[in-house]
Structure formats: structure tokens, C-alpha cells
Amino acid sequence: KPLAAAAASRALPAPAASPPARTFTLKSASTAFRSILWNICRKYQSHMEFYRPYIDENEKKEMEPNNLVKAAKKFIDLCFTPETIGKEYLDEIPAGKKVIIATTHISDFDMPIAIAEMGDYFPNINVANKSNQFEFNGDPVMNIQRYLVGQEHYFRVEHRGKKGGGNEFGVFDPENFYPMKESLEDENTMIIAAQYDDQYHAKQKWALSDKPGNGAAYLHQITPDSIILPVAVNIKADPIGMGKMGSDVLRIVKREKPPVDVIIGKPLKLDKIDGIEIFNEIFEKRKKGEKLTIEEKQKFSEFKEKLQSQSADLIKRLADLLPKEKRGIWGDDNENIGK
């Protein structure tokens, strides 16, 4: 008995209750993965020559290409052999004008190609970007790229729907374009797609979209002393960059780099739409479900119709820069142009 009592006194205490197991969810995994990638980006950002979070004002004054232009050039040099055509039209841009580059978006590569090539003449380019690329779950690769290159170079334009699959579409929201206006007033250049419709990626249509975007025309309307510079991109290859950029890059790198024509058109000054300044106010009331007056309804329809007409004229000018097979419905003989 004494031995038993001694043994009992030396016995280890009962183990504490285990903490409840953490519930695994897709959201928690995504949050953890994003945190890891963000820490990696911050750790290595200072060691990368052009991947810095911002560009300071002294570099702007010295006309150094910004991080977006530098990154685009590195990428395009790896994948394509571009040639710029129509440089003489750059001399027609009046001094002091704020430049809005309106480009094609037949391929996902059109925008970075245009940024890389036009960066030789406009070193401080900022870009209008789809809203789902501002969300990690919407487009992880582009989200990381924004952190690396510098978020100040990317400006949000609304999109709805799931990426790919032909069900993604742009949503015109005037509110998106006022930050772009401020960027132009800070002596930057804005580049924006004059057409965008992801449904064509699913259909693999290697030509301009049937529907122009209103963004470039509206930004021009609300920004005094601005001018639109049409820039078309013609990739001389089979369809690439149609929603599968990653696999297309690998395919390009393994083969010879495709030639690309970057064609600059004549600078464009659109007719002023009288009263366009109140369009955003009416749009916001409509978006909130507030009742519009008869006059506001008439004005809204008038503004919308004029913007659509000007946007159709802009995409027609881009079509004129492209070979016939890439013009889509925007050929010279199509009676639906501008409708």
C-alpha cells in the first residue's frame, strides 16, 4: 500500500483538452495564400529594378518611364517583335493637350503591347483596368501584378460576371472616370480599351467587338484640353490572348516571337456634348433607384445616345487602321456602323 500510494503521487497530470480543430474553408485558405504572397512581394520589391511600389515626382520630371511602362516593355520584349507605324501623327498633338490613348482589345496582349510601345513617347502611362482584377479571387495574377508594379498606375472600370466562359461584361459607370481625369490633370497619360466584350474570348473571334465602350469618349468629354489618340494593335499570328494568357505566353516563348504592328492614328477631338457634366448626377440617381424628372430622363437618353455615337466613330477609326479581316462589323460597307 505505501508503494502504491507513492506511485500514485508521482503520476503525470491528465492531459489538457485539445483545442477545437480549425475549420478549413476556401475563404480562409484564400486569405492565408494572399497574405503569404503579399509578404513575398514586399520582401523582394526593393531588390527588383522596376518593380517598385511607386515612382517619385523627381523621376516624373526627368521623364523616366514609370513602372507600368517598364514592366510592359520587359514582358513584350520576351514575347513579341513589335513595330510602331504612324509616328508622324504624334506631331499633330497640340502642345499642352492631355492624351487619352484609345486602343483595341482583340487580344489580352493588345493593352500591354500598346503600353510598351507608346511608353517611348508617353513615359507616364496609367491604365484603365477591369474591376475583377482588383480582387484577389477575381484574378490572382493581375492582383499580384498591381502590387508589384504599383497600384497607382491602375484605374478601376466596372465589370460583372465570372472571368472567362463568355459571361463577363463591362458596366459603364461615369464615377469610374473622375480618378482618371485627375490622373490626366497630373500630367499622366491614360490608356483605355475602346472596345471590350469578353464574350468574344469564348467565341474566339479574332476581330473587333461589335460593341464599342463609352469610356474613352466620356473621359474626353469631362477632361478639358484633352485629345484622343487612336492606337490599333495587330498581332500577326493565330488567335492568342483570348482568355488564356498564361498558356499562350508559354507557347510564344517556345516558338518564334510573333510580329506585331502598333498603328497610330490621327489625333481625334470630339464635339463637345453640352451639359455632359450633369450626366454623372443623373446616373447616380438612377443607380440608387431615385425617381428621375421627365427632363432628367430626356437628358439621360440624349447623353447616352451621343456617347454611343461618338464611341462608334472612335472604334471605326481604329478599324480603319487594321487589316480588313480584323475589322469585324466595322468595315466600310456595313450599314449598321454608328447605330
Side-chain angles (χ1 to χ4, degrees):
K1 287 183 179 179
L3 290 174
S9 66
R10 293 193 301 269
L12 295 173
S18 301
R22 295 182 65 180
T23 304
F24 176 84
T25 64
L26 182 60
K27 184 176 181 180
S28 64
S30 173
T31 301
F33 183 55
R34 181 174 184 173
S35 176
I36 293 169
L37 287 173
W38 173 236
N39 287 330
I40 292 173
C41 292
R42 293 189 67 179
K43 180 177 180 181
Y44 291 101
Q45 219 167 29
S46 60
H47 301 294
M48 302 173 72
E49 181 182 351
F50 58 87
Y51 286 129
R52 288 178 289 122
Y54 62 89
I55 187 165
D56 63 39
E57 291 300 316
N58 289 330
E59 289 181 4
K60 282 188 177 182
K61 290 175 182 176
E62 293 170 3
M63 301 303 285
E64 280 284 327
N66 67 16
N67 291 350
L68 179 64
V69 172
K70 290 179 181 179
K73 283 185 173 295
K74 292 282 185 180
F75 175 66
I76 298 308
D77 287 347
L78 177 68
C79 299
F80 297 96
T81 307
E83 179 184 359
T84 301
I85 301 169
K87 298 176 187 176
E88 63 275 10
Y89 287 121
L90 297 174
D91 295 331
E92 296 187 18
I93 299 175
K97 289 291 183 181
K98 303 170 182 65
V99 179
I100 302 165
I101 299 173
T103 188
T104 54
H105 205 303
I106 298 171
S107 165
D108 288 336
F109 293 113
D110 283 15
M111 189 67 79
I113 290 171
I115 291 170
E117 289 303 290
M118 299 312 297
D120 288 338
Y121 314 101
F122 306 97
N124 292 322
I125 293 179
N126 291 330
V127 61
N129 231 50
K130 298 188 298 179
S131 58
N132 62 6
Q133 294 179 342
F134 286 73
E135 303 163 4
F136 185 78
N137 291 337
D139 193 330
V141 174
M142 279 301 302
N143 201 262
I144 294 168
Q145 176 182 304
R146 286 193 310 108
Y147 280 122
L148 289 171
V149 175
Q151 298 184 74
E152 71 276 14
H153 300 306
Y154 297 84
F155 289 74
R156 184 186 186 99
V157 287
E158 295 302 321
H159 268 69
R160 297 288 184 270
K162 186 178 179 181
K163 182 185 176 185
N167 62 350
E168 184 184 358
F169 57 94
V171 180
F172 176 71
D173 187 341
E175 194 68 26
N176 291 158
F177 297 92
Y178 284 88
M180 300 183 205
K181 176 187 176 183
E182 292 179 6
S183 176
L184 288 167
E185 290 171 346
D186 287 339
E187 300 184 357
N188 296 301
T189 298
M190 282 301 309
I191 187 167
I192 186 170
Q195 50 107 168
Y196 203 96
D197 189 343
D198 263 355
Q199 292 189 23
Y200 285 101
H201 285 351
K203 296 175 184 178
Q204 293 291 298
K205 182 176 179 179
W206 196 227
L208 285 171
S209 165
D210 293 355
K211 297 180 180 180
N214 295 330
Y218 182 70
L219 181 59
H220 175 53
Q221 287 290 338
I222 65 173
T223 308
D225 296 323
S226 65
I227 198 161
I228 295 177
L229 185 67
V231 175
V233 177
N234 178 31
I235 301 175
K236 299 178 179 180
D238 293 334
I240 51 175
M242 308 290 279
K244 300 178 180 178
M245 185 177 282
S247 58
D248 284 337
V249 169
L250 292 176
R251 181 158 57 96
I252 292 169
V253 171
K254 291 179 180 178
R255 302 179 184 179
E256 187 176 352
K257 297 189 292 186
V260 181
D261 286 342
V262 179
I263 312 108
I264 302 171
K266 188 178 181 67
L268 175 62
K269 178 73 175 176
L270 300 175
D271 292 337
K272 176 67 176 176
I273 300 177
D274 293 333
I276 193 67
E277 294 79 12
I278 66 169
F279 181 60
N280 186 41
E281 297 176 19
I282 301 174
F283 191 93
E284 285 298 310
K285 287 183 66 175
R286 191 170 180 266
K287 191 165 61 173
K288 293 174 182 177
E290 298 178 11
K291 188 175 181 179
L292 302 182
T293 65
I294 294 176
E295 183 181 1
E296 286 174 332
K297 289 179 181 178
Q298 291 175 340
K299 281 291 183 183
F300 182 84
S301 298
E302 178 186 331
F303 293 147
K304 183 178 177 181
E305 183 179 342
K306 288 182 177 179
L307 279 174
Q308 288 176 337
S309 176
Q310 290 187 344
S311 300
D313 181 58
L314 174 57
I315 200 171
K316 174 61 172 61
R317 290 171 183 264
L318 287 169
D320 290 342
L321 303 175
L322 290 168
K324 189 174 182 179
E325 63 272 15
K326 286 196 173 180
R327 295 176 184 174
I329 70 164
W330 305 98
D332 295 333
D333 56 349
N334 194 293
E335 61 182 9
N336 295 318
I337 291 175
K339 294 186 178 180

